[in-house]
Amino acid sequence: MVKHSGYATFMSSLRRTRTEYNEALFRAPSILGVLGLMRSNQNVWLTRYLRHVSTIWPVLMLAKLSLLAGTIQVALLPEYVTLPMIAALVAMTIIDVAMWSLHRSERIAKMPPYRQMWLMCGVAFAAGASTDILVHAMPEALVNPAMSPLIVQYALALLAMCVFGHQRVLGLLYFMGAGLFSIGLHSGNELMLFCAIILAMALSTVLQAKFDRQRLVAMQLDEANSKRAQRLLTDYEESGRGWFWETDRTGALSYISGSLSRSMRLSAEELTGRQLTELVVMDAAGDIDRTLGFHLSSRSAFSDIAVRAALSDDERWWAISGRPVYNEFGQFQGFRGSGSDLTEMKRSQAEVARLAQFDSLTGLANRVQMQRALEQSIVDVRGHNGACALFLLDLDRFKAVNDTMGHPAGDALLQQVSQRLQRIVGDRGMVGRLGGDEFKVVLPGFVDRPKLAVLAEAIIATLSQPYVIEGTQVVIGASIGVSLCPDDGETVDALVRNADLALYAAKADGRGVHRFYSSDMLAEAEDRRQLEDELRKAIATGGLELVYQPVVSATTEKIVGFEALLRWDHPVRGPISPAAFVPIAEESGLIGAMGEWVMRTACDAAAQWPEGLRVAVDVSPIQFSNPALPGIVMNALASSGLSPERLELEVTESAFLNEGDARDQMFAQLKAIGVRLALDDFGTGYSSLGYLKKAPFDKIKIDQSFVRGAAVKGNRNAAIITSIVSLAEALGMDTTAEGVETHDELALVRSLGCSQIQGFIYGKGISKSEIERMFEKQGVEAKPSGFKSSRPRRSTMLRTVAIFHDGQRYVGRIRNISSSGAMIEGLWNVPAGTVFRIGLADGMTVGAEARWSVDDRMGVQFAQTVDVRAIHSAAAVRLAS
């Protein structure tokens, strides 16, 4: 190898100062590491730097192991082996392996920054010291010239990889530059040495510029993110959806959001320095919420703890979250957290809880709360059966108000009813609404039947007083069923069931009354249930039958048709009235199948009658509201071959309580088929006549309650019949008088202009076979039969009365009496036409005329109508006294 003077001079200088050179060279990574650590206070940058150093550490180890291998090869010569050399090599290897293990386990990255800095500095100085020992321990012959390039190359590689380890490609280029420098230095080639130095300087400049640019970009990005986060937090605070707080280590507020301080009408300065616990309401024991207090005292994180604000004018609730804050030395600095307003949610929860316990319309307790109150009333504090009373109320005629005036009017009526109920019951019990027009009253410890009866009558009387709804006076009633604990049951279900049975009995007795539960009510309910089962079987097995009552023309006295009447001859109970089993069919849902059977059977029978005779079939309101009714009618007509105009459907006024559109559509569909429509029981149901303007009726049937007794002197029914007939003629409708039984009633309704007559005067209901025999015998001619005249209903009475005639006083006994006359015994052979004055009761004297006399009995006619009930009441008072 050619030796140049410049190279020889440099090597000579290197030998003289190799100790200082090597120390400076091998300590360069440590110095740069310390400067880098001191310049950076960000743990993130340090962790990233150490991760990259950990990545290139195997390369560093490879370089050192190469040096170690060369040294060991040389050390095979006994004259070159020294103990310091071996110690230095072992120390370098141990340091590298230990640092590699620490980096792989990420234990360095988890250390605090100051510990990482001291660890790296210590490792760097230890590596430099072991290298110095190794170089000093080598013979001068090995260091010059064989070992110097390798040492310089290793030192420069160490410098490049420690400083630029996070840029692997540039570090490799720097390693190549260090190699060129080493070769140029060894060979004395100044050009190569110059190129290596220029390359190293250029790479250092480029790397430093790139590093500074990346750090500047990172700083700008961090600053932008910080500002964006600050804006988001500010917007969040100003929106009122949440706020932030911070305390020092003593629990005093060091920061509070302005939005919260404004909501509390205090400034942030006034709140700063106060304890966090001063912002929430203290409980009775003088401590804050136990959960919040526990977390604050134990310095543990908490989330969404609900507390009530203490410094607010109105009731406000917050949800507070927080976590403890520690500094880099692990010292507690206080709490930092956020909060949000829970007031609306709390109010919503309170409203939901209220709605779950109270009726939203009336404000009374609802079904759930009443059930709980009844459960508590039947069990006392010791767990024994308690005493209580249960009222079940049902409003009478409420549905008519709801349907005629609308649901808003019905709701207003229910509100007034609830107010009256609460006022009457007072603090004696709890009033609740079960739904619709049903109410419940629970009276704990109140089982005195006379007092309960007085309270029930007071409730009925109060609820029956007129109401004013939308400027209109409305009158309704109430029926009450009463059950007692423990007499009528010791469980909630038993009490409710028995009170319901009592309510059903009150309705059956005419409504507007109260009834206490009795054991026979349960038997009646069971009998009703059994009757329902038997009715279902009768419908399925053909146990029902139809009879037909004639409808006669008032002018020609010829039969114009028949009304189909349903009959049930029970195999055990005997004949059962339709008034008993038809309501059961309607309530149990059997009316549909039963009505369809009646329709088909009546049409089949009418198809066998002479042409022109009609058959009338009753249609219940439930059937009328069924959209399938037109189809049922068409199928019955088609299967029997009966002409549509020969079928007459009788609809009661209750059908008009249904919704208007569906009702009008049903009328239109039935008239489109071609059948006739008759309004049955006119004047006894719906109170308005407005429906007659639109309903396409062909006939009005006058209810028998107006016909019966119409021929009696002083009865007003004749005037009512006259008005109904006039109304029907004006609307182009026929009229049928129902329930005509006597000849004087027949003559009356004929004279008043009724078109048709139906009643016992022309016969009761007969079977299909009997109709055929009647046609064979007399055709369609009808002959009246029955009593000559009608008389008011008489009641039995055995009472002594004074009879005055021509200044004489006689004593007689009344056997029976009506509003128009009586039968008296005690006077013999009184001539007809004799006029008397009879003292019926104290202060009640009436004129009378003898109409007939047989032995000691005579019938008298009063000169004026008398009140029979007043006479009975006077007699009862007299007996009681």
Side-chain angles (χ1 to χ4, degrees):
M1 183 177 296
V2 180
K3 296 188 181 289
H4 298 281
S5 57
Y7 173 76
T9 303
F10 179 79
M11 291 301 298
S12 175
S13 174
L14 181 60
R15 294 188 190 99
R16 289 192 302 269
T17 60
R18 66 177 182 272
T19 302
E20 294 80 5
Y21 175 82
N22 282 294
E23 290 179 358
L25 185 64
F26 286 97
R27 283 171 174 73
S30 302
I31 296 172
L32 291 176
V34 172
L35 292 176
L37 290 172
M38 293 176 62
R39 184 172 58 182
S40 174
N41 293 323
Q42 299 184 13
N43 193 18
V44 176
W45 183 91
L46 179 62
T47 303
R48 187 183 306 164
Y49 173 79
L50 292 175
R51 186 170 63 251
H52 291 309
V53 172
S54 175
T55 304
I56 58 91
W57 207 288
V59 180
L60 181 61
M61 289 180 61
L62 180 60
K64 289 190 175 184
L65 289 176
S66 299
L67 178 60
L68 179 60
T71 305
I72 292 174
Q73 184 178 4
V74 175
L76 292 176
L77 301 176
E79 60 272 18
Y80 299 124
V81 176
T82 62
L83 183 59
M85 179 188 302
I86 298 301
L89 290 173
V90 172
M92 293 173 62
T93 304
I94 291 174
I95 291 173
D96 287 337
V97 173
M99 290 303 297
W100 172 250
S101 176
L102 290 174
H103 277 290
R104 291 292 295 176
S105 63
E106 298 184 354
R107 294 177 62 182
I108 295 180
K110 296 179 182 179
M111 294 181 179
Y114 68 95
R115 291 185 180 177
Q116 293 179 357
M117 181 183 70
W118 287 114
L119 177 63
M120 293 302 297
C121 290
V123 170
F125 282 109
S130 60
T131 305
D132 287 341
I133 294 173
L134 178 63
V135 173
H136 284 290
M138 289 183 180
E140 187 176 351
L142 293 178
V143 176
N144 182 30
M147 294 301 295
S148 295
L150 185 59
I151 293 174
V152 173
Q153 182 177 356
Y154 163 70
L156 293 178
L158 180 63
L159 174 63
M161 291 183 180
C162 287
V163 179
F164 308 110
H166 57 287
Q167 299 289 344
R168 299 180 185 179
V169 177
L170 297 179
L172 181 60
L173 293 177
Y174 208 154
F175 183 80
M176 294 173 59
L180 291 175
F181 178 79
S182 178
I183 295 173
L185 185 62
H186 179 71
S187 62
N189 190 335
E190 290 84 354
L191 180 59
M192 186 176 295
L193 183 62
F194 177 75
C195 291
I197 294 173
I198 294 299
L199 179 59
M201 294 176 62
L203 288 174
S204 299
T205 303
V206 171
L207 288 174
Q208 185 64 36
K210 184 175 182 181
F211 176 75
D212 292 341
R213 179 178 177 278
Q214 290 177 345
R215 189 174 63 173
L216 179 61
V217 171
M219 292 176 61
Q220 292 175 346
L221 182 61
D222 291 342
E223 184 178 0
N225 290 336
S226 177
K227 291 182 178 179
R228 184 181 298 107
Q230 184 63 35
R231 287 195 300 268
L232 291 175
L233 292 177
T234 302
D235 293 341
Y236 181 76
E237 287 182 318
E238 297 300 328
S239 66
R241 291 175 294 178
W243 39 273
F244 300 98
W245 57 273
E246 188 177 43
T247 67
D248 58 17
R249 61 185 305 164
T250 64
L253 288 170
S254 58
Y255 173 79
I256 194 74
S257 294
S259 58
L260 178 63
S261 61
R262 288 191 297 270
S263 67
M264 301 176 68
R265 298 181 181 179
L266 296 172
S267 64
E269 291 76 12
E270 292 177 306
L271 293 176
T272 302
R274 292 193 179 189
Q275 294 291 317
L276 176 63
T277 55
E278 296 181 21
L279 302 186
V280 298
V281 173
M282 313 288 281
D283 63 10
D287 193 9
I288 61 172
D289 182 86
R290 293 183 178 180
T291 305
L292 178 60
F294 168 77
H295 288 290
L296 292 176
S297 60
S298 62
R299 298 179 180 179
S300 59
F302 54 90
S303 177
D304 293 332
I305 294 180
V307 295
R308 189 156 63 95
L311 303 180
S312 179
D313 296 337
D314 53 351
E315 182 176 348
R316 304 197 67 83
W317 287 85
W318 298 330
I320 298 182
S321 302
R323 64 180 182 85
V325 179
Y326 297 91
N327 61 13
E328 63 272 16
F329 300 103
Q331 297 174 333
F332 175 70
Q333 299 295 304
F335 271 88
R336 183 182 299 145
S338 61
S340 59
D341 198 309
L342 288 180
T343 305
E344 292 302 324
M345 187 181 75
K346 282 286 186 179
R347 290 174 181 172
S348 300
Q349 291 176 347
E351 181 66 15
V352 170
R354 190 189 70 81
L355 292 177
Q357 299 292 326
F358 295 92
D359 178 58
S360 59
L361 176 62
T362 63
L364 299 177
N366 62 5
R367 184 184 298 271
V368 175
Q369 189 175 1
M370 293 302 296
Q371 183 87 354
R372 187 179 301 113
L374 185 57
E375 291 174 352
Q376 295 172 352
S377 298
I378 64 177
V379 179
D380 60 19
V381 294
R382 293 172 295 180
H384 301 154
N385 289 332
C388 68
L390 174 63
F391 283 12
L392 286 185
L393 290 83
D394 189 78
L395 301 183
D396 303 328
R397 301 185 298 278
F398 172 76
K399 188 177 186 302
V401 175
N402 210 24
D403 292 333
T404 56
M405 300 184 64
H407 292 287
D411 292 345
L413 178 59
L414 290 175
Q415 290 173 345
Q416 294 190 30
V417 168
S418 65
Q419 293 170 2
R420 294 188 183 184
L421 267 176
Q422 285 181 307
R423 187 169 59 252
I424 299 170
V425 176
D427 57 358
R428 287 175 288 191
M430 177 180 290
V431 180
R433 177 176 176 236
L434 304 182
D437 60 345
E438 297 179 354
F439 295 84
K440 178 188 287 187
V441 179
V442 176
L443 302 164
F446 199 4
V447 292
D448 190 334
R449 287 179 180 264
K451 292 183 179 179
L452 289 172
V454 171
L455 178 60
E457 290 297 332
I459 291 176
I460 294 173
T462 303
L463 298 185
S464 300
Q465 295 298 316
Y467 302 83
V468 177
I469 306 296
E470 299 178 355
T472 303
Q473 182 171 295
V474 175
V475 178
I476 61 173
S479 302
I480 301 178
V482 186
S483 64
L484 306 179
C485 175
D487 296 346
D488 302 331
E490 298 180 354
T491 64
V492 173
D493 294 338
L495 286 175
V496 173
R497 180 200 63 195
N498 295 337
D500 194 53
L501 291 174
L503 176 61
Y504 183 83
K507 292 180 179 180
D509 289 345
R511 299 177 179 270
V513 296
H514 76 278
R515 290 291 179 266
F516 284 91
Y517 169 77
S518 60
S519 58
D520 58 342
M521 294 179 182
L522 182 59
E524 291 176 3
E526 179 62 26
D527 182 70
R528 185 181 180 87
R529 185 198 61 78
Q530 185 177 358
L531 191 63
E532 177 184 332
D533 295 338
E534 294 170 350
L535 178 60
R536 183 176 286 104
K537 294 178 182 178
I539 296 174
T541 59
L544 303 178
E545 63 177 342
L546 286 182
V547 296
Y548 304 90
Q549 186 177 31
V551 179
V552 181
S553 172
T555 56
T556 64
E557 281 197 312
K558 291 185 178 181
I559 299 174
V560 295
F562 294 87
E563 180 181 358
L565 303 176
L566 187 60
R567 295 291 183 263
W568 182 17
D569 190 6
H570 194 277
V572 177
R573 302 171 185 257
I576 299 177
S577 171
F581 67 82
V582 169
I584 295 177
E586 291 179 338
E587 293 177 4
S588 60
L590 298 175
I591 191 65
M594 190 169 69
E596 185 174 354
W597 176 83
V598 171
M599 189 75 65
R600 291 197 314 268
T601 305
C603 290
D604 291 339
Q608 309 301 322
W609 299 340
E611 191 66 28
L613 295 184
R614 301 189 183 97
V615 62
V617 178
D618 289 334
V619 177
S620 74
I622 297 177
Q623 288 177 276
F624 190 81
S625 62
N626 183 8
L629 178 61
I632 295 174
V633 173
M634 293 179 64
N635 291 336
L637 293 172
S639 62
S640 64
L642 185 68
S643 301
E645 63 273 9
R646 295 180 60 189
L647 176 62
E648 192 170 79
L649 302 181
E650 296 186 358
V651 182
T652 62
E653 293 172 312
S654 301
F656 292 93
L657 297 179
N658 298 327
E659 295 296 331
D661 293 341
R663 178 198 63 206
D664 296 342
Q665 185 179 3
M666 179 62 70
F667 277 125
Q669 291 177 350
L670 293 176
K671 290 301 292 184
I673 296 174
V675 300
R676 289 171 56 86
L677 297 177
L679 179 58
D680 196 11
D681 300 336
F682 179 75
T684 61
Y686 197 55
S687 60
S688 174
L689 298 178
Y691 57 83
L692 290 178
K693 296 187 297 183
K694 297 187 296 181
F697 288 112
D698 302 290
K699 179 194 294 186
I700 293 178
K701 300 190 71 174
I702 303 172
D703 187 71
Q704 60 182 353
S705 62
F706 299 121
V707 176
R708 191 166 299 153
V712 177
K713 183 180 179 181
N715 196 298
R716 298 181 180 181
N717 287 355
I720 297 176
I721 295 174
T722 301
S723 63
I724 294 175
V725 171
S726 300
L727 177 64
E729 290 178 351
L731 297 175
M733 302 177 186
D734 296 332
T735 52
T736 296
E738 293 183 292
V740 179
E741 298 182 354
T742 61
H743 287 271
D744 58 350
E745 291 175 349
L746 176 61
L748 177 66
V749 296
R750 278 180 176 172
S751 64
L752 295 179
C754 291
S755 307
Q756 299 169 359
I757 298 170
Q758 179 181 348
F760 289 167
I761 190 72
Y762 287 114
K764 299 181 179 180
I766 57 178
S767 65
K768 177 181 177 181
S769 59
E770 291 175 326
I771 291 177
E772 294 176 355
R773 289 194 296 269
M774 183 186 69
F775 286 154
E776 294 176 356
K777 181 178 179 181
Q778 64 186 49
V780 295
E781 297 292 334
K783 297 180 180 180
S785 62
F787 293 104
K788 180 179 179 181
S789 61
S790 60
R791 63 182 183 180
R793 182 179 179 182
R794 299 199 172 196
S795 60
T796 301
M797 175 182 287
L798 183 60
R799 185 183 179 199
T800 301
V801 294
I803 303 174
F804 301 93
H805 176 68
D806 289 341
Q808 298 295 322
R809 181 179 184 274
Y810 305 93
V811 177
R813 290 185 300 275
I814 295 180
R815 285 290 182 180
N816 56 54
I817 189 172
S818 70
S819 60
S820 60
M823 187 184 74
I824 301 176
E825 64 180 15
L827 300 181
W828 287 79
N829 299 322
V830 177
T834 304
V835 178
F836 305 96
R837 297 239 3 131
I838 303 176
L840 298 176
D842 293 340
M844 183 182 296
T845 303
V846 63
E849 179 183 354
R851 304 290 294 177
W852 57 268
S853 177
V854 177
D855 296 334
D856 66 339
R857 295 187 178 187
M858 67 176 176
V860 299
Q861 182 178 359
F862 298 141
Q864 67 215 39
T865 303
V866 300
D867 188 352
V868 178
R869 290 180 299 177
I871 297 174
H872 282 287
S873 298
V877 171
R878 182 178 178 182
L879 290 174
S881 62

